[in-house]
mmCIF file of all heavy atoms in Angstrom:
data_model
loop_
_atom_site.group_PDB
_atom_site.id
_atom_site.type_symbol
_atom_site.label_atom_id
_atom_site.label_comp_id
_atom_site.label_asym_id
_atom_site.label_seq_id
_atom_site.Cartn_x
_atom_site.Cartn_y
_atom_site.Cartn_z
ATOM 1 N N MET A 1 -20.464 -69.552 -45.384
ATOM 2 C CA MET A 1 -19.312 -69.970 -46.161
ATOM 3 C C MET A 1 -18.611 -71.106 -45.420
ATOM 4 O O MET A 1 -18.863 -71.351 -44.249
ATOM 5 C CB MET A 1 -18.328 -68.797 -46.327
ATOM 6 C CG MET A 1 -17.645 -68.360 -45.044
ATOM 7 S SD MET A 1 -16.375 -67.076 -45.332
ATOM 8 C CE MET A 1 -15.687 -66.911 -43.665
ATOM 9 N N GLN A 48 -0.204 -71.147 -34.972
ATOM 10 C CA GLN A 48 -1.541 -70.708 -34.551
ATOM 11 C C GLN A 48 -2.384 -71.904 -34.124
ATOM 12 O O GLN A 48 -3.141 -71.843 -33.164
ATOM 13 C CB GLN A 48 -2.235 -69.938 -35.679
ATOM 14 C CG GLN A 48 -3.648 -69.478 -35.274
ATOM 15 C CD GLN A 48 -4.314 -68.593 -36.325
ATOM 16 O OE1 GLN A 48 -3.662 -67.983 -37.132
ATOM 17 N NE2 GLN A 48 -5.623 -68.559 -36.279
ATOM 18 N N PRO A 55 -4.237 -64.708 -33.761
ATOM 19 C CA PRO A 55 -4.503 -63.578 -34.639
ATOM 20 C C PRO A 55 -4.618 -62.291 -33.844
ATOM 21 O O PRO A 55 -5.060 -62.312 -32.686
ATOM 22 C CB PRO A 55 -5.828 -63.948 -35.301
ATOM 23 C CG PRO A 55 -6.467 -64.952 -34.390
ATOM 24 C CD PRO A 55 -5.340 -65.688 -33.727
ATOM 25 N N PRO A 56 -4.225 -61.176 -34.442
ATOM 26 C CA PRO A 56 -4.379 -59.892 -33.745
ATOM 27 C C PRO A 56 -5.854 -59.533 -33.558
ATOM 28 O O PRO A 56 -6.750 -60.122 -34.221
ATOM 29 C CB PRO A 56 -3.683 -58.891 -34.677
ATOM 30 C CG PRO A 56 -3.576 -59.548 -35.993
ATOM 31 C CD PRO A 56 -3.595 -61.023 -35.762
ATOM 32 N N ALA A 57 -6.135 -58.594 -32.677
ATOM 33 C CA ALA A 57 -7.518 -58.183 -32.395
ATOM 34 C C ALA A 57 -8.229 -57.786 -33.677
ATOM 35 O O ALA A 57 -7.675 -57.027 -34.489
ATOM 36 C CB ALA A 57 -7.512 -57.041 -31.399
ATOM 37 N N GLY A 58 -9.443 -58.287 -33.857
ATOM 38 C CA GLY A 58 -10.242 -57.925 -35.006
ATOM 39 C C GLY A 58 -10.050 -58.800 -36.218
ATOM 40 O O GLY A 58 -10.820 -58.721 -37.177
ATOM 41 N N ALA A 59 -9.021 -59.651 -36.220
ATOM 42 C CA ALA A 59 -8.761 -60.537 -37.355
ATOM 43 C C ALA A 59 -9.659 -61.765 -37.261
ATOM 44 O O ALA A 59 -10.063 -62.166 -36.154
ATOM 45 C CB ALA A 59 -7.304 -60.955 -37.386
ATOM 46 N N PRO A 60 -9.957 -62.440 -38.377
ATOM 47 C CA PRO A 60 -10.737 -63.678 -38.318
ATOM 48 C C PRO A 60 -9.993 -64.733 -37.494
ATOM 49 O O PRO A 60 -8.763 -64.724 -37.440
ATOM 50 C CB PRO A 60 -10.832 -64.102 -39.789
ATOM 51 C CG PRO A 60 -10.519 -62.894 -40.592
ATOM 52 C CD PRO A 60 -9.582 -62.062 -39.767
ATOM 53 N N PRO A 61 -10.733 -65.651 -36.878
ATOM 54 C CA PRO A 61 -10.084 -66.683 -36.048
ATOM 55 C C PRO A 61 -9.485 -67.816 -36.862
ATOM 56 O O PRO A 61 -8.741 -68.625 -36.336
ATOM 57 C CB PRO A 61 -11.236 -67.206 -35.196
ATOM 58 C CG PRO A 61 -12.470 -66.991 -36.019
ATOM 59 C CD PRO A 61 -12.210 -65.729 -36.795
ATOM 60 N N TYR A 62 -9.802 -67.868 -38.173
ATOM 61 C CA TYR A 62 -9.341 -68.969 -39.007
ATOM 62 C C TYR A 62 -7.914 -68.713 -39.454
ATOM 63 O O TYR A 62 -7.514 -67.572 -39.646
ATOM 64 C CB TYR A 62 -10.268 -69.133 -40.217
ATOM 65 C CG TYR A 62 -11.715 -68.929 -39.883
ATOM 66 C CD1 TYR A 62 -12.450 -67.868 -40.442
ATOM 67 C CD2 TYR A 62 -12.347 -69.752 -38.960
ATOM 68 C CE1 TYR A 62 -13.777 -67.655 -40.087
ATOM 69 C CE2 TYR A 62 -13.677 -69.525 -38.586
ATOM 70 C CZ TYR A 62 -14.376 -68.484 -39.157
ATOM 71 O OH TYR A 62 -15.672 -68.255 -38.781
ATOM 72 N N PRO A 63 -7.125 -69.778 -39.664
ATOM 73 C CA PRO A 63 -5.734 -69.565 -40.114
ATOM 74 C C PRO A 63 -5.723 -69.020 -41.558
ATOM 75 O O PRO A 63 -6.733 -68.981 -42.236
ATOM 76 C CB PRO A 63 -5.130 -70.982 -40.063
ATOM 77 C CG PRO A 63 -6.098 -71.844 -39.352
ATOM 78 C CD PRO A 63 -7.440 -71.194 -39.475
ATOM 79 N N LEU A 92 -2.575 -61.295 -45.256
ATOM 80 C CA LEU A 92 -3.721 -61.194 -44.352
ATOM 81 C C LEU A 92 -3.270 -61.259 -42.895
ATOM 82 O O LEU A 92 -2.224 -61.828 -42.595
ATOM 83 C CB LEU A 92 -4.713 -62.361 -44.606
ATOM 84 C CG LEU A 92 -5.195 -62.578 -46.030
ATOM 85 C CD1 LEU A 92 -5.932 -63.922 -46.117
ATOM 86 C CD2 LEU A 92 -6.086 -61.428 -46.475
ATOM 87 N N SER A 93 -4.099 -60.748 -42.005
ATOM 88 C CA SER A 93 -3.873 -60.962 -40.577
ATOM 89 C C SER A 93 -4.449 -62.313 -40.118
ATOM 90 O O SER A 93 -4.201 -62.754 -38.998
ATOM 91 C CB SER A 93 -4.551 -59.847 -39.775
ATOM 92 O OG SER A 93 -3.957 -58.607 -40.071
ATOM 93 N N GLY A 94 -5.200 -62.946 -41.005
ATOM 94 C CA GLY A 94 -5.807 -64.246 -40.726
ATOM 95 C C GLY A 94 -7.000 -64.448 -41.639
ATOM 96 O O GLY A 94 -7.424 -63.515 -42.350
ATOM 97 N N GLY A 95 -7.556 -65.674 -41.631
ATOM 98 C CA GLY A 95 -8.791 -65.909 -42.349
ATOM 99 C C GLY A 95 -8.689 -66.392 -43.769
ATOM 100 O O GLY A 95 -9.696 -66.545 -44.460
ATOM 101 N N GLY A 96 -7.463 -66.687 -44.230
ATOM 102 C CA GLY A 96 -7.293 -67.117 -45.612
ATOM 103 C C GLY A 96 -7.862 -68.499 -45.906
ATOM 104 O O GLY A 96 -8.239 -68.799 -47.040
ATOM 105 N N LYS A 100 -14.374 -66.970 -48.298
ATOM 106 C CA LYS A 100 -14.430 -65.503 -48.411
ATOM 107 C C LYS A 100 -13.591 -64.891 -47.292
ATOM 108 O O LYS A 100 -13.484 -65.476 -46.210
ATOM 109 C CB LYS A 100 -15.873 -64.995 -48.289
ATOM 110 C CG LYS A 100 -16.823 -65.508 -49.349
ATOM 111 C CD LYS A 100 -18.265 -65.038 -49.039
ATOM 112 C CE LYS A 100 -19.253 -65.696 -49.987
ATOM 113 N NZ LYS A 100 -20.655 -65.344 -49.601
ATOM 114 N N VAL A 101 -13.031 -63.716 -47.563
ATOM 115 C CA VAL A 101 -12.265 -63.023 -46.533
ATOM 116 C C VAL A 101 -12.314 -61.525 -46.802
ATOM 117 O O VAL A 101 -12.376 -61.081 -47.952
ATOM 118 C CB VAL A 101 -10.801 -63.536 -46.485
ATOM 119 C CG1 VAL A 101 -10.029 -63.127 -47.743
ATOM 120 C CG2 VAL A 101 -10.069 -63.056 -45.250
ATOM 121 N N VAL A 102 -12.308 -60.736 -45.723
ATOM 122 C CA VAL A 102 -12.277 -59.269 -45.819
ATOM 123 C C VAL A 102 -10.821 -58.816 -45.730
ATOM 124 O O VAL A 102 -10.054 -59.287 -44.875
ATOM 125 C CB VAL A 102 -13.096 -58.634 -44.690
ATOM 126 C CG1 VAL A 102 -12.928 -57.113 -44.684
ATOM 127 C CG2 VAL A 102 -14.574 -59.004 -44.862
ATOM 128 N N ARG A 268 2.579 -60.065 -39.463
ATOM 129 C CA ARG A 268 1.172 -60.151 -39.086
ATOM 130 C C ARG A 268 0.701 -59.001 -38.205
ATOM 131 O O ARG A 268 -0.400 -58.472 -38.388
ATOM 132 C CB ARG A 268 0.945 -61.478 -38.368
ATOM 133 C CG ARG A 268 -0.526 -61.765 -38.062
ATOM 134 C CD ARG A 268 -0.676 -63.129 -37.395
ATOM 135 N NE ARG A 268 -2.023 -63.633 -37.600
ATOM 136 C CZ ARG A 268 -2.411 -64.870 -37.226
ATOM 137 N NH1 ARG A 268 -1.541 -65.667 -36.656
ATOM 138 N NH2 ARG A 268 -3.640 -65.261 -37.430
#
Side-chain angles (χ1 to χ4, degrees):
M1 68 174 185
Q48 179 174 337
Y62 321 117
L92 307 169
S93 296
K100 299 174 187 174
V101 68
V102 173
R268 186 178 204 174

